[in-house]
Amino acid sequence: MCGIVGYVGRPKSLEVLLGGLRRLEYRGYDSAGVAIITEEGELVTRKRAGKLQVLVDDLAAEPLTDGSTGIGHTRWATHGGPTDVNAHPHLSRDGKLALIHNGIIENFAELRAELLADGYTFESETDTEVAAKLLGREYEAGGGLAAALGRVVVRLEGAFTLLALHRDEPLVVVGARRNSPLVIGLGDGENFLGSDVAAFVEHTQRAVAIGQDQIVTITPDSVLVTDFFGTRVIPSEFQVSWDASAAEKGGWSSFMAKEISEQPEAVANTLRTRIHHDRIELPELAGLEEALTDIDRIVIIACGTASYAGMLGKYALEKWARIPVEVQLSHEFRYSEPVLTPRTLVVSISQSGETMDTLMAVKYAIEAGAATLSICNTQGATIARESDAVIYTHAGPEVAVASTKAFVAQIAALYLFGLHLARVRGTLSAPAIAEALEELSGIPAKLEQVLLTSTRIQELAKWMSDSRAVLFLGRHVGYPVALEGALKLKELAYIHAEGFAAGELKHGPIALIEPGQPVFVIVPSPRDPNSLHAKVVSNIQEIRARGARILAVAEQGDAAVLPFADEVIPIPLAGALFEPLLAVVPLQIFAMELATAKGLDVDQPRNLAKSVTVE
Ligand code: M6R
């Protein structure tokens, strides 16, 4: 969850570290800190509880001497609250070494006890300080910083990325990773390390992903990657496909507002190069082609918003490819002793590609012999690298904690995959595939139309800013949309919100309806072949009779809804499976506007972080 930056090169570390931390702050934002080796060879540090700006203001009031080597950290607290003392970096006993950490060291209590017995004392409550003290002790044993780190990491259990520097090796930063991300940025006379490429993309677009259980040593002119035991590894370089401006707000009031507006482009980019007239080209599935002809079942694993994309994928895959699909939350998956065979395809969905729950579920699936495919937005992410194949959603960097454009891009990627599988399995005719592809290709233009309704939604959100609870209802593909609408409202506006399958209401939740209760209803098209429209209109009448205030998201021109809704938010005509891509947008805007009306930070909601790299 935390953001990590390392730099070695010219005497401008502070600028590089703070710039990188600003771009990584979405990963965690309850405290921040830096450590620098000055040109005079001193190790200086500063760390503060609160958002990065607190540290920046502190550094402005009382400047820190700059240098050519530094590490920086922005934290999402695990062990110990968000205080100055618990913030990273943490120091070795002699104060010559500084260390930052992302992840959780599960055996920290045992290691701490060992150090206490050895006469060490601790200032903080963190597992990180244990690693810092341990590394300091190993450094004293000789062999240099990288070798000492190697001896420490083999003793650690859990997930971690560690970066460290030592004042006796003034132009060196070392890093190590296990189940937690770390990427190298290659510069000219300078090199970078980051939790993701956003840390250094304004300086270089040349990147190298570090594999599992590897150690990296950077100096201004060299990069060395080894395994934990010092054996050299030759990693592969990749080019970052977006530039620094893509991760800037660019005049928008928030990253979330910008990312909502980028949804037409996000879907178009996910489809671009993959649809050729009536054909789908997914060369990235080459390694899976044989498996795809043989699979008898699909299990989709994901968390949060990505899991709702997965639910939509289930409807599409079962309808088009006629294969049983189940969707499981990643963190429940491996504890349910799932039945997996070589004929099971496990599809993981993750924007970050680093969500620990999903990564662990993918590893479990691999060990059980299942074929694995990931749908991922972040180039070179761990989940993508672990899987047999990856379909990248080319949504561009998603910085706001609340997922928006990644969600619609995930749905588009799942639908592409579903149509591809239908062709491989012969379950859809060529004209039917062509028709679905045409519909999918039309989504970006329809998303543009939906975005035009945002002013009205903004007004609604303002009126409703003192709501205490909001309910969301949907049937079939409208149900995951209802869940997503509720999640957005919870995480951004801190309002109690629940999504229900509309048919489930009468089995209990209808008791929640009281006069004035706002209920968003996702109304299927009146042209829906399953005749769900009439059923949802009946559900609307049932709750309206009990005083609910109805906010209907319905196809434009749907006259049957008008008499019963207090407000109708129109979406363009689309086939049933494609409606969610449009219907979710007003709900995203509503949550963002309501949070804004309450004066909340929509990009960095309380208690959350963008990339959930702990289990
Ligand atoms: O990076 P991932 O897609 O794996 O993240 C999964 C969830 O943590 C994420 O979708 C989360 O629910 C969002 N904050 C929702 O807006």
Side-chain angles (χ1 to χ4, degrees):
M1 327 268 278
C2 309
I4 279 185
V5 197
Y7 175 73
V8 57
R10 303 187 233 294
K12 54 165 190 181
S13 287
L14 207 48
E15 174 198 327
V16 174
L17 297 178
L18 293 178
L21 291 180
R22 189 170 59 79
R23 288 184 200 287
L24 292 184
E25 201 183 9
Y26 68 90
R27 301 181 70 94
Y29 34 83
D30 59 36
S31 54
V34 291
I36 287 169
I37 301 177
T38 68
E39 297 303 278
E40 290 72 42
E42 290 303 312
L43 173 62
V44 292
T45 68
R46 185 72 55 80
K47 49 188 196 172
R48 288 289 173 266
K51 292 203 171 175
L52 179 63
Q53 194 57 42
V54 177
L55 175 70
V56 170
D57 292 344
D58 192 272
L59 289 167
E62 200 182 324
L64 198 64
T65 314
D66 211 346
S68 304
T69 308
I71 53 178
H73 188 268
T74 174
R75 180 172 185 245
W76 184 86
T78 58
H79 295 60
T83 61
D84 286 355
V85 171
N86 287 334
H88 303 201
H90 290 278
L91 300 179
S92 57
R93 181 161 65 177
D94 60 11
K96 293 182 182 178
L97 175 149
L99 177 140
I100 55 179
H101 165 223
N102 174 26
I104 290 182
I105 298 166
E106 287 169 2
N107 58 337
F108 94 102
E110 178 191 322
L111 296 168
R112 187 179 162 109
E114 175 188 313
L115 288 162
L116 284 169
D118 204 10
Y120 281 76
T121 54
F122 293 88
E123 286 180 358
S124 76
E125 302 155 89
T126 65
D127 49 348
T128 307
E129 192 183 359
V130 172
K133 297 280 190 286
L134 212 51
L135 184 58
R137 190 174 70 172
E138 281 305 323
Y139 189 85
E140 285 166 19
L145 191 53
L149 185 60
R151 295 195 296 272
V152 168
V153 287
V154 293
R155 300 200 57 203
L156 305 183
E157 288 167 18
F160 51 81
T161 300
L162 300 172
L163 289 196
L165 43 73
H166 194 290
R167 74 173 209 199
D168 293 348
E169 295 185 33
L171 288 174
V172 173
V173 175
V174 295
R177 69 163 292 232
R178 169 180 288 162
N179 292 333
S180 181
L182 184 60
V183 191
I184 307 167
L186 301 174
D188 186 10
E190 55 183 356
N191 285 306
F192 308 80
L193 291 169
S195 304
D196 67 51
V197 296
F200 49 73
V201 72
E202 68 180 303
H203 304 284
T204 179
Q205 286 174 275
R206 289 177 61 203
V208 173
I210 302 169
Q212 280 295 27
D213 289 7
Q214 290 180 354
I215 289 184
V216 57
T217 305
I218 59 167
T219 71
D221 304 304
S222 68
V223 167
L224 174 68
V225 182
T226 69
D227 65 15
F228 280 177
F229 305 98
T231 305
R232 188 164 189 168
V233 176
I234 307 295
S236 50
E237 188 180 326
F238 67 94
Q239 190 73 14
V240 181
S241 61
W242 46 274
D243 63 17
S245 65
E248 297 287 350
K249 272 191 226 168
W252 290 89
S253 56
S254 63
F255 278 107
M256 188 178 177
K258 174 177 174 254
E259 288 158 9
I260 286 174
S261 79
E262 287 172 342
Q263 294 187 100
E265 196 187 341
V267 172
N269 285 344
T270 300
L271 303 181
R272 188 169 295 138
T273 75
R274 288 166 170 158
I275 299 181
H276 296 275
H277 305 295
D278 51 2
R279 269 185 316 112
I280 304 162
E281 285 190 8
L282 287 169
E284 51 271 74
L285 296 184
L288 264 185
E289 281 309 333
E290 213 182 301
L292 290 186
T293 56
D294 195 41
I295 52 170
D296 61 4
R297 179 169 154 258
I298 294 177
V299 181
I300 296 179
I301 48 174
C303 302
T305 292
S307 73
Y308 304 145
M311 289 170 74
L312 292 165
K314 171 183 162 77
Y315 291 112
L317 284 159
E318 290 192 335
K319 182 177 168 69
W320 292 333
R322 305 306 301 152
I323 186 162
V325 181
E326 64 186 274
V327 185
Q328 290 224 22
L329 293 169
S330 312
H331 38 88
E332 291 294 315
F333 171 70
R334 64 187 170 132
Y335 304 106
S336 62
E337 296 187 37
V339 180
L340 300 174
T341 74
R343 298 187 69 196
T344 311
L345 175 69
V346 174
V347 179
S348 60
I349 310 171
S350 175
Q351 186 286 131
S352 61
E354 301 292 349
T355 299
M356 185 60 67
D357 291 317
T358 305
L359 174 61
M360 288 304 164
V362 170
K363 288 186 167 206
Y364 182 96
I366 293 168
E367 274 165 30
T372 52
L373 166 68
S374 71
I375 292 179
C376 180
N377 193 41
T378 309
Q379 271 177 299
T382 312
I383 291 171
R385 287 153 57 93
E386 295 281 327
S387 306
D388 295 325
V390 52
I391 300 177
Y392 281 113
T393 50
H394 297 299
E398 193 180 65
V399 177
V401 164
S403 191
T404 54
K405 64 175 179 174
F407 178 65
V408 289
Q410 284 161 352
I411 302 168
L414 279 162
Y415 284 12
L416 274 181
F417 173 63
L419 292 168
H420 175 79
L421 194 61
R423 189 187 58 72
V424 171
R425 293 169 58 86
T427 48
L428 268 192
S429 67
I433 292 177
E435 193 185 325
L437 287 177
E438 197 182 333
E439 178 102 53
L440 197 51
S441 305
I443 291 298
K446 291 179 185 177
L447 280 166
E448 299 277 7
Q449 288 179 46
V450 181
L451 289 170
L452 296 176
T453 58
S454 60
T455 313
R456 178 69 192 139
I457 300 165
Q458 187 177 24
E459 283 165 13
L460 267 179
K462 275 188 191 149
W463 293 339
M464 292 173 63
S465 61
D466 56 359
S467 305
R468 290 187 49 240
V470 180
L471 305 182
F472 294 77
L473 302 183
R475 272 179 189 257
H476 186 239
V477 290
Y479 174 39
V481 176
L483 294 173
E484 174 62 0
L487 177 60
K488 286 280 124 2
L489 200 57
K490 278 184 256 207
E491 71 178 329
L492 292 171
Y494 319 149
I495 288 180
H496 181 242
E498 290 298 333
F500 295 108
E504 187 67 9
L505 264 195
K506 55 192 176 297
H507 299 286
I510 200 165
L512 291 171
I513 305 292
E514 56 187 16
Q517 170 66 54
V519 184
F520 276 89
V521 185
I522 318 305
V523 185
S525 164
R527 300 168 295 112
D528 180 73
N530 296 325
S531 315
L532 283 178
H533 178 264
K535 290 198 172 62
V536 171
V537 173
S538 300
N539 296 140
I540 289 178
Q541 284 166 322
E542 287 154 16
I543 53 174
R544 188 181 164 78
R546 289 159 177 87
R549 180 158 181 247
I550 313 291
L551 306 132
V553 180
E555 186 175 282
Q556 61 201 27
D558 181 348
V561 175
L562 279 176
F564 311 114
D566 295 276
E567 187 74 37
V568 177
I569 300 161
I571 55 168
L573 272 62
L577 282 173
F578 300 90
E579 280 169 7
L581 285 149
L582 308 174
V584 73
V585 178
L587 307 186
Q588 298 166 340
I589 298 172
F590 177 76
M592 177 182 71
E593 294 295 352
L594 201 146
T596 306
K598 287 178 76 172
L600 300 172
D601 182 341
V602 295
D603 285 339
Q604 296 179 344
R606 72 181 178 203
N607 304 340
L608 293 171
K610 180 74 181 162
S611 187
V612 186
T613 54
V614 294
E615 274 189 275

